[in-house]
Amino acid sequence: MPKIVDKDAMRVRIMEAAMQCYSTQGFHAAKMSDIAKAAGLAKGTLYLYFKSKDQLTTALVKWIFQEIEQQIMPQREVRTLTDYMSQIRTALDASEETRIETRMFFEVLGPSFGSDEVVAEVAGFFERIGAQSTEQLRHLVKVGEVRSDIDADATGRSIAALIDGMVTHRAMFGLEDARYRSMMDTTLEMLRRGLEIQGEV
């Protein structure tokens, strides 16, 4: 009877092996044969799942960003400015796991940014985060929860960039929790005051 293989699980296994090899050997030094060995596969089997190292790396970057995206910006409806601010706080206060993944991503996969496909995946991540933030702001303007004179698109994408900058800065430079939380509280208060309808407290 033919062996049944969970293809999705196998792809994850290969991507985890690739990350391990990139971490220990360096991105450029790691070869497909090294990745196959780390995954416990024949080299030919590896090529059934990924035709090249570039294709594997692009899939790995996409997978990592999907994990980070789910943690920092879960898809959910926001009904009030308070909901929106709470979501941003959750995104800024990323878990230790997310911080480790972010640091590993830049340290290990930074050299892969020479690939147009990888750059497109990274750009797509920021596009999705910005688009989600923009749509939420448009809804809040429509229901009278935030000022009607804001540019929802520019503001939403600026907030996405702010989240990226603060989360990445914390992950890469290991800011003390107390200092980071003070920065986060100050930033959120400034943002709330800029969004709330004039005259509200």
Side-chain angles (χ1 to χ4, degrees), residues 61-78:
V61 169
K62 182 176 183 178
W63 179 55
I64 290 173
F65 269 121
Q66 285 174 340
E67 292 290 312
I68 294 175
E69 187 174 343
Q70 286 301 312
Q71 292 178 46
I72 69 169
M73 288 289 278
Q75 293 286 339
R76 69 176 184 225
E77 181 182 356
V78 293

